[in-house]
Amino acid sequence: MTPEEPELDELRLVLLRHGQTDANVAKALDTVPPGAPLNETGRSQASVVAELLADWPVRAVHASRAIRARQTAEPVAQAHGLAVTVVDGVHEIFAGELEGRSDKPARRDFDETYDAWWGGDLSRSLPGGESALDLRARFLPAVERIVDQTERAHGPGGAVVLVSHGAAIRLAAAALIGDTAETRYVPNTGRVVLRRDKGADTGWALELWDSGPSLEGDVTAGAAPEAH
């Protein structure tokens, strides 16, 4: 079995980052919904990832309240004859005083905070914004509800897609696989695929992590050394 041909006996949670926006291109921190829409590149990326997931046994498609997340989810859902369900709690980590900024001091502040999270200080907050613990406190219960709803409706197999955001996905996925804060980059429309594993301490196992060269200034590029 490969991640491109998932088995039906265990649920896959596909955490999918939204496509590119002009804010991404400008390297601006855009964390408050509804935020920027997809640009032309982002719409193309959304179409490509929808084709990539077209043969997957997708049971449900969810997205954060951000416009870019919903626009990315739409072609994925259409490929399976599904509607997009908008979910509270899975939007990007709130950048607080750094919101909308693209300058180097703002990026440095963000990186320093992510360094602290990676080092285990998950309670440290972005200036006037959220901490890693704040993000997990709203994101993980949302994942639990999505997964429970899908399994009740369709049984234990198949896949559920959740379109969210770079830093949010990294911090939530790390919690779901028993890590502190992930250092691996999640590109636009990159996927983090987790498999239900009752034998694992957290109940999940990492199956696939799309990555690639990190882009300087991208909120999800993250700080901390790329240890794995």
Side-chain angles (χ1 to χ4, degrees), residues 95-208:
E97 297 169 11
L98 308 181
E99 180 68 17
R101 290 173 57 183
S102 58
D103 56 280
K104 289 184 178 179
R107 178 66 218 187
R108 184 180 62 248
D109 287 347
F110 184 92
D111 284 351
E112 288 177 353
T113 304
Y114 203 97
D115 271 335
W117 297 336
W118 188 82
D121 184 8
L122 300 178
S123 64
R124 179 167 171 176
S125 299
L126 291 162
E130 289 184 305
S131 69
L133 291 180
D134 292 331
L135 181 282
R136 290 178 175 183
R138 59 175 169 80
F139 200 112
L140 298 181
V143 167
E144 185 175 352
R145 290 192 297 272
I146 289 166
V147 168
D148 286 347
Q149 290 168 3
T150 304
E151 290 185 328
R152 284 200 304 270
H154 303 284
V160 56
V161 176
L162 172 58
V163 183
S164 183
H165 307 265
I169 287 173
R170 290 173 62 187
L171 292 168
L176 291 169
I177 60 177
D179 206 346
T180 50
E182 272 293 342
T183 62
R184 278 175 287 184
Y185 180 60
V186 182
N188 289 119
T189 61
R191 299 163 298 160
V192 175
V193 180
L194 306 179
R195 173 175 49 82
R196 271 289 213 192
D197 183 353
K198 294 181 180 179
D201 290 341
T202 62
W204 294 96
L206 177 63
E207 192 163 86
L208 174 70

Side-chain angles (χ1 to χ4, degrees), residues 48-58 76 79-80:
V48 169
V49 78
E51 292 177 5
L52 186 62
L53 294 172
D55 292 333
W56 282 51
V58 173
V76 177
H80 296 275

Side-chain angles (χ1 to χ4, degrees), residues 33-48:
L38 296 181
N39 59 22
E40 183 176 352
T41 297
R43 291 190 293 272
S44 177
Q45 290 171 332
S47 295
V48 169

Side-chain angles (χ1 to χ4, degrees), residues 80-100:
H80 296 275
L82 300 169
V84 176
T85 301
V86 176
V87 181
D88 288 321
V90 296
H91 48 281
E92 184 60 285
I93 191 161
F94 177 46
E97 297 169 11
L98 308 181
E99 180 68 17

